[in-house]
Amino acid sequence: MNETTTPAAQGAADSAATTLPTAYAPVEVEGELYERWVKNGYFTADAASDKPPFTIVIPPPNVTGSLHVGHALNQSIQDAIIRRKRMQGFEALYLPGMDHAGIATQNVVERELAKDGLSRHDLGREAFVKKVWDWKAEYGGKILGQQRRLGISLDWSRERFTMDEGLSQAVQTMFKKMYDDGLIYRAERIINWCPRCLTALSDIEVDHFDEPGELVSIRYGDGDDAIVVATSRAETMLGDTAVAVHPDDERYQHLIGKEVALPLTDRRIPIIADEHVDPEFGTGAVKVTPAHDPNDFEIGRRHNLPMPTILDEHANITVHGPFLGMDRFEARPAVVAALREQGRIVGQKQLLRPVGHCSRCDTVVEPRLSMQWWVKVEPLAKAAGDAVRDGRVQIHPKEMEPRYFAWVDNMHDWTISRQLWWGHRIPIWYGPDGEVVCVGPGEQPPAGPGWTQDSDVLDTWFSSGLWPFSTLGWPEQTADLAKFYPTSVLHTGYDIIFFWVARMMMFGLYAMDGVQPFDKVVLSGLVRDQHGKKMSKSKGNVVDPLLWMDKYGSDAVRFGLLRGANPGTDQAIADDWIGGARNFANKIWNATRFAMMNGAFVPAELPAAEKLTVEDRWILSRLNEVVAEVDALYEDFQFAKAMEALYHFAWDEVCDWYIELSKLRLPIGATADDPDAQTARAVLGHVLDVMLRLLHPAVPYVTETLWTALTGRESIVIAEWPRADPARTDKAAEAVIEAVQEVVTEVRRFRTDQGVKDTQRVAARLTLTDAKLAGQEPAIRLLNRLTAPEDGFAATATLAATGAKVELDTSGTIDVAAERKRLEKGLAAARKEVEQATAKLGNADFLAKAPDAVVDKIRKRLADAESDIARVGAQLEALPSA
C-alpha cells in the first residue's frame, strides 16, 4: 500500500488546496470530468492487450427509455464492478448499447402519426419503418446522455444497437442456423394476443393482475341430458366445441359420448372425458373453447375437436347472429342476458381472477389461435440449466438458483413472431406453390412471381438474447470476440431472469459451441419507495434519479443506491437517504481539504516505524483491515456491506478520530521541517489516498477531484487498486486507541447528559490507571475539550471509565437548578412507567388474555424504564450542589 506519488507532490497539494472550493458543487464538475475521461480513452478497451480481460455488457435499455431508478441502481453496480477491475489491472470492457424495443417504439411513432390523423397503413411499411428510423435519430437514445451523467464508464467506441448492420446479420445468421437445425418451426397454436398492438406476445410479455369478475353457471341441454358449466368469459361459449368431464366422475358417466345442444347456436357438441378436468372445481364440467383458451386448446388437440375462432384481431365477435361485430366486453353481458332469457343461467357469483395485460400498453390480452413462428426450447433450456448445475455459470446470490431452474426446467416453446413492422423481419420467403425458403446473410432471396417475404418481425428478446456475443462481432471471428467472450459478469435485476438471462444462456451456449455467455450472473432486487411499496405512476411514488442528480449530485445517487444493494433483495429508498449520501461526499471533501490545507501529502514510502505514533499505527492497521474487507465484499458482490464499511471507516475513524487526533501534531503554523508534523502529514495523505481509491468505484466524481488535487497525478480512474498489507496490522495500537475512544465517549456522553455544549471547555483532572492509556492524556483532553486543572480546582462530578477516572468542574457551565428540575421530571416519568408496567405484568387476567407480542412489549417498557431510572439517578448524583 506504499505505491503512489513522490514527496514532491506535497507542493502541488499545497497549491491545490487553495483552489479547492470550500464546498463541493457536483453539477459544476461532473460533465467536464466525464468528457475528459472519455477523451483520454480511459474507458476504451484494447483487444490486443496482454492484460486479462474482464467484460460486462450493459443490459440494453430501450431506445424509447429514460433513466429510471432501476437503471440507476443496476448501472451503478455494474460500473462499480468494472471500475474496480480496471484499477486492478484488467483489460476492462463495459459495452454500451440500446434495444430497438419493437412494440414500444412502434407505439411511440404510431401515436405521433395519430396526432396528424394518420396510421402506419396510410404510410405503408417501407415509409413507416423509415419514419421510425428518423424518430430514433432525432429523439431516441436520450438515456445515453443520462448514463454519461451518472458517470458509468462505458466504452463508447463500441456502442451497439440491436438493429445495426452487424447485429442484424447476427440475428439472420442465428435464425437460419436454428431453422436448419429444426429448432425454429411454424405452427398454429394458442398465443397471447394484444388487440391494441395487434401482435402476438410471449408469456413473459404479459402482466397478470387480480381483477373483479363474475362466474356464470350455464345449463347446456335439458332434462336428464342437461349439464352445467361455469365460466368467467361467457362470450367465448359461442366458440365451444365440447363439454369435458373427468373420466372417473360418476356424476357424468351416463353423458360421456353423448351430444348436447350449444345454447344460442344451432350446433350440437359432444360431451367428452379428459383427465385435465378437476372434478372438485365448480360443477366438475367445463366448456371447451379450443381457439380461445390454452388448456382447452390442448384438450381439443387430444380429441381432434374443431377449433373455430370467434374473435377477430381487434377482439370483436365474428360469428353470425345478434352479437356479430360486438367488442368482447360488450358481448359478455349481452350473451349472459340472452342466456337468461332462455332460462339457462343457473348461478352467478363475484370473484377475483388473474387477468393478463399487455406489458406495453396495458390492454387485456386475448388468448387466440394463431399461426406463428416458434422456438423449440427443450434442448436449449436443458443446456441452460446444465450450465448452472455443473458450475460453468454461477448465480449470485445462490438462493436465486431455484427461481432460475423453475423457469428453464419448465419452459414452453417460445413464440418469436410479432405482427409488427419495426424489428428484424423474419427471413422466410413463401413461393407460389407452397415453397418455404429461409434466407441467410449474403444469400439472395428467391425472386419471381408469387414469392413474398413473411410479414412478421422477430420478438425483441430474440435479438437481445444474442447480446453478449453479437455485440463482440459474432458471427465473424473478431479480435473482440476472442478476447472478451465469455463475458465475466452479467448483472441485472432478478425480475428479468426469465425475459433475458435465460434467453442469453440458451442462445450463447448454442451459438458458441457450449461456451457460456457469462461466468457469473449477479442479481439485484427492485428499488421500492421509503415504505417498501413497489413504485408505480398510479401510486405517485415513482422517484426520478435525474432530479436527485440535479439536487444532490450523481455520486450521492450512486452511493445511496449502492448502500442498500444487498444481493437479490429489494431495497427501499427515499430523498433524505440520497441527501445523507450527499452529506457523506461533503464530509470526505472537507476532510481532504483540511488535510491539504495543513500540508498533507502522499509519500513515496511511509515514514519509518519508529517515527509513527500510536494513532498512526492504529489508522494504518485499520486501513489495512478495511482494504481486505472491502476487497472480499466486492468479490462476493456484497455492495451494501462494502459501502457500509467504507462509510464508517471514512466518517467515523478517519474524519472523526484520526484527523482530530492529528491536530495534536498539526498546530496552526507548524513548519514543513517539523518531523512530527511531517509524519502526520504523510500518514494522513497516505490514508486519504487509499481511502479515495477504495471509494472511487462508487463515487467517481468527487474522488477524482480530490485525489488528483491530493496526489498531483493524472486520474484516479487509472490508479492502482489498493492491496492489503498484513505487515500493517497492529492490534496493540488498535487496543490503545479503543481504550482512548472508550474514555472519550464516556466523557462526551456525560457532557451531553449534563447539557454542556460541545464548544465549552471544562476543567478536569485525569487519573489513567490502564497501562494502555499511558501517554494518551493529551489526546483525551483534545477530543473532550478538557483544560488542565488550576489552583483551587474543585471537582463537581466524577466519572469512572474503563481504566480512567475523570474529575470535572462543571460549575459555571450549566444551570444546575434547571438541569436538576429537568432530570427530576424525567425520573418521575420513568418511575410512573415502572409502576404501570409492573401492575400490568402482575395482573394474571391480563397475562392470560394478552397476545405474547403485547406482553413482550410491556416487559421491554419495564426494562427500559428501570434503565432510565438508574441513568437519570446517576446524573442527578453527579450534579453539583445548588
Side-chain angles (χ1 to χ4, degrees):
M1 295 195 326
N2 293 338
E3 74 292 345
T4 40
T5 62
T6 65
Q10 180 179 354
D14 289 341
S15 60
T18 63
T19 62
L20 282 177
T22 55
Y24 179 50
V27 176
E28 295 178 11
V29 301
E30 290 175 352
E32 181 181 342
L33 277 182
Y34 192 86
E35 292 310 313
R36 181 166 67 82
W37 289 335
V38 173
K39 180 180 178 181
N40 289 347
Y42 298 151
F43 306 156
T44 304
D46 181 3
S49 165
D50 59 2
K51 295 179 182 178
F54 190 92
T55 315
I56 294 178
V57 293
I58 198 168
N62 288 353
V63 67
T64 59
S66 61
L67 191 77
H68 59 60
V69 72
H71 289 136
L73 168 65
N74 292 332
Q75 291 170 19
S76 296
I77 290 174
Q78 293 157 22
D79 192 49
I81 294 171
I82 209 80
R83 283 181 181 269
R84 171 173 171 267
K85 288 297 180 180
R86 189 180 290 118
M87 296 172 76
Q88 286 181 316
F90 287 83
E91 195 60 45
L93 170 60
Y94 187 13
L95 194 147
M98 292 185 299
D99 192 285
H100 66 278
I103 296 176
T105 307
Q106 180 159 317
N107 282 348
V108 167
V109 178
E110 285 193 278
R111 284 197 295 269
E112 290 299 309
L113 289 175
K115 293 177 183 178
D116 297 325
L118 298 173
S119 73
R120 60 182 163 121
H121 300 285
D122 294 322
L123 271 66
R125 184 171 193 140
E126 185 176 341
F128 176 78
V129 171
K130 182 181 182 302
K131 191 81 171 176
V132 181
W133 278 109
D134 291 344
W135 178 91
K136 186 230 178 223
E138 186 172 357
Y139 302 107
K142 65 179 179 180
I143 193 172
L144 301 179
Q146 295 163 352
Q147 290 171 336
R148 296 168 89 96
R149 187 173 174 196
L150 188 62
I152 59 175
S153 54
L154 291 158
D155 182 350
W156 294 105
S157 70
R158 288 177 165 88
E159 181 187 339
R160 302 307 299 267
F161 179 55
T162 50
M163 283 185 64
D164 67 30
E165 184 177 352
L167 268 65
S168 294
Q169 180 185 8
V171 168
Q172 193 174 357
T173 300
M174 178 62 84
F175 189 99
K176 169 74 171 174
K177 177 177 171 61
M178 296 180 74
Y179 180 84
D180 290 346
D181 287 348
L183 293 173
I184 287 181
Y185 64 93
R186 193 170 186 238
E188 189 176 41
R189 293 189 177 176
I190 288 284
I191 50 93
N192 302 297
W193 180 264
C194 176
R196 157 63 184 78
C197 298
L198 299 181
T199 184
L201 305 172
S202 65
D203 290 343
I204 54 179
E205 293 172 302
V206 178
D207 298 326
H208 289 87
F209 308 106
D210 283 342
E211 294 185 357
E214 186 177 57
L215 189 67
V216 181
S217 297
I218 309 168
R219 187 182 74 252
Y220 289 12
D222 297 297
D224 293 339
D225 292 339
I227 191 166
V228 175
V229 300
T231 180
S232 59
R233 303 178 66 224
E235 73 281 4
T236 62
M237 62 144 306
L238 301 172
D240 287 359
T241 55
V243 173
V245 298
H246 193 277
D248 299 331
D249 193 332
E250 295 182 358
R251 294 171 294 178
Y252 302 117
Q253 291 296 312
H254 66 292
L255 293 177
I256 296 173
K258 292 186 176 182
E259 289 188 341
V260 65
L262 180 64
L264 307 182
T265 73
D266 56 2
R267 292 191 289 119
R268 295 184 67 79
I269 57 176
I271 298 174
I272 61 174
D274 192 281
E275 291 187 351
H276 170 76
V277 179
D278 179 3
E280 302 299 321
F281 179 77
T283 64
V286 297
K287 57 190 286 299
V288 182
T289 320
H292 295 282
D293 183 275
N295 294 321
D296 292 4
F297 172 76
E298 295 300 331
I299 293 175
R301 289 213 300 182
R302 286 194 290 272
H303 296 271
N304 296 314
L305 296 174
M307 299 186 181
T309 298
I310 58 116
L311 292 169
D312 66 14
E313 61 182 6
H314 298 284
N316 295 327
I317 301 293
T318 60
V319 292
H320 295 292
F323 314 109
L324 180 64
M326 282 188 180
D327 172 79
R328 54 185 166 163
F329 299 123
E330 180 187 5
R332 185 171 300 167
V335 167
V336 171
L339 290 168
R340 184 176 288 109
E341 284 185 12
Q342 293 186 3
R344 297 201 171 275
I345 300 297
V346 297
Q348 290 175 271
K349 68 176 182 179
Q350 300 301 307
L351 79 166
L352 280 177
R353 62 190 184 94
V355 177
H357 292 252
C358 173
S359 62
R360 293 298 177 192
C361 70
D362 202 38
T363 301
V364 174
V365 167
E366 188 63 42
R368 187 169 186 257
L369 187 63
S370 180
M371 183 68 74
Q372 301 287 341
W373 286 95
W374 303 80
V375 168
K376 183 180 180 181
V377 301
E378 183 179 2
L380 303 174
K382 181 181 184 304
D386 290 345
V388 174
R389 289 187 171 96
D390 64 25
R392 278 175 290 161
V393 178
Q394 299 174 20
I395 293 180
H396 293 262
K398 193 173 178 62
E399 298 78 54
M400 284 288 172
E401 281 187 4
R403 185 188 289 247
Y404 174 79
F405 291 133
W407 179 253
V408 297
D409 293 347
N410 299 283
M411 195 181 296
H412 301 297
D413 283 3
W414 168 25
T415 175
I416 56 172
S417 45
R418 298 290 180 270
Q419 289 65 56
L420 305 171
W421 287 356
W422 173 244
H424 295 100
R425 195 163 175 181
I426 290 177
I428 293 288
W429 269 255
Y430 304 107
D433 298 318
E435 302 97 330
V436 178
V437 177
C438 181
V439 178
E443 299 176 355
Q444 289 298 317
W451 283 93
T452 59
Q453 185 178 358
D454 195 299
S455 61
D456 289 352
V457 300
L458 287 165
D459 179 9
T460 296
W461 295 103
F462 190 98
S463 52
S464 61
L466 315 184
W467 191 251
F469 51 95
S470 64
T471 52
L472 298 173
W474 185 90
E476 303 298 324
Q477 296 303 306
T478 64
D480 275 3
L481 193 64
K483 177 74 173 180
F484 296 112
Y485 188 91
T487 66
S488 307
V489 168
L490 171 75
H491 173 270
T492 189
Y494 67 67
D495 54 325
I496 62 169
I497 192 171
F498 316 127
F499 287 85
W500 194 45
V501 178
R503 306 280 193 243
M504 288 187 291
M505 286 284 280
M506 292 192 301
F507 283 161
L509 293 163
Y510 170 72
M512 301 300 292
D513 299 321
V515 179
Q516 67 278 10
F518 23 75
D519 297 329
K520 295 179 180 179
V521 177
V522 180
L523 300 171
S524 64
L526 305 179
V527 183
R528 298 179 178 272
D529 72 10
Q530 60 184 315
H531 305 295
K533 303 294 184 182
K534 187 174 181 179
M535 293 184 187
S536 70
K537 291 180 181 178
S538 61
K539 293 179 182 177
N541 64 345
V542 174
V543 297
D544 184 349
L546 298 170
L547 296 178
W548 277 347
M549 285 190 271
D550 288 340
K551 186 176 181 181
Y552 300 119
S554 298
D555 285 334
V557 172
R558 291 170 62 118
F559 193 82
L561 290 168
L562 284 167
R563 200 174 174 196
N566 290 298
T569 304
D570 293 349
Q571 66 165 297
I573 198 73
D575 186 273
D576 57 345
W577 298 342
I578 304 300
R582 185 270 315 274
N583 295 342
F584 176 62
N586 288 342
K587 185 78 171 181
I588 60 176
W589 178 274
N590 292 334
T592 306
R593 188 171 182 274
F594 165 84
M596 292 172 64
M597 290 177 66
N598 283 274
F601 65 97
V602 182
E605 293 185 359
L606 282 166
E610 62 271 15
K611 294 184 178 180
L612 300 176
T613 63
V614 68
E615 61 263 28
D616 294 336
R617 292 185 287 114
W618 163 73
I619 197 63
L620 292 173
S621 180
R622 285 294 302 127
L623 177 65
N624 174 71
E625 291 166 351
V626 169
V627 169
E629 180 185 6
V630 169
D631 221 33
L633 290 170
Y634 260 112
E635 285 299 309
D636 197 35
F637 307 105
Q638 299 279 355
F639 305 103
K641 291 181 180 179
M643 296 307 107
E644 200 69 11
L646 286 169
Y647 178 91
H648 287 294
F649 175 72
W651 192 301
D652 300 342
E653 296 181 284
V654 175
C655 297
D656 286 357
W657 289 100
Y658 183 71
I659 286 181
E660 292 303 311
L661 286 167
S662 73
K663 292 177 181 178
L664 287 169
R665 293 178 289 158
L666 292 175
I668 295 174
T671 61
D673 56 1
D674 183 329
D676 287 342
Q678 280 297 82
T679 297
R681 291 172 179 135
V683 173
L684 182 52
H686 172 79
V687 170
L688 290 172
D689 160 44
V690 175
M691 183 186 81
L692 290 170
R693 284 186 280 146
L694 287 174
L695 282 165
H696 175 69
V699 284
Y701 289 117
V702 69
T703 52
E704 171 80 340
T705 306
L706 293 174
W707 190 83
T708 52
L710 175 69
T711 66
R713 294 179 63 187
E714 181 182 346
S715 175
I716 197 172
V717 176
I718 53 175
E720 187 174 346
W721 181 252
R723 293 189 296 269
D725 180 4
R728 287 293 173 194
T729 300
D730 191 330
K731 292 299 181 184
E734 289 186 34
V736 170
I737 300 303
E738 285 171 6
V740 170
Q741 289 172 330
E742 285 187 30
V743 176
V744 170
T745 301
E746 190 63 36
V747 175
R748 285 176 174 172
R749 184 181 297 117
F750 173 81
R751 289 174 63 113
T752 300
D753 288 343
Q754 297 298 318
V756 179
K757 295 179 181 179
D758 293 341
T759 55
Q760 286 182 300
R761 296 189 176 277
V762 179
R765 179 164 51 229
L766 273 64
T767 305
L768 305 178
T769 57
D770 187 340
K772 292 193 295 293
L773 293 173
Q776 297 304 310
E777 183 170 334
I780 295 171
R781 288 189 178 279
L782 172 73
L783 296 171
N784 282 130
R785 295 184 178 273
L786 302 179
T787 59
E790 298 179 353
D791 292 341
F793 172 84
T796 58
T798 301
L799 295 179
T802 304
K805 182 173 74 170
V806 183
E807 300 168 274
L808 302 104
D809 179 5
T810 58
S811 60
T813 62
I814 58 173
D815 183 336
V816 176
E819 184 64 12
R820 185 177 299 280
K821 184 176 181 181
R822 184 184 71 82
L823 291 173
E824 287 175 345
K825 183 177 180 181
L827 185 63
R831 285 171 174 164
K832 184 175 181 180
E833 180 68 30
V834 167
E835 182 182 342
Q836 292 175 343
T838 301
K840 284 189 175 182
L841 294 173
N843 186 327
D845 288 342
F846 171 78
L847 294 176
K849 296 176 181 178
D852 291 344
V854 173
V855 175
D856 289 343
K857 188 175 181 180
I858 298 298
R859 286 177 177 146
K860 185 177 185 306
R861 282 169 49 190
L862 175 61
D864 290 346
E866 289 174 338
S867 175
D868 288 344
I869 289 172
R871 177 178 57 81
V872 176
Q875 292 174 24
L876 280 166
E877 289 182 13
L879 282 177
S881 302

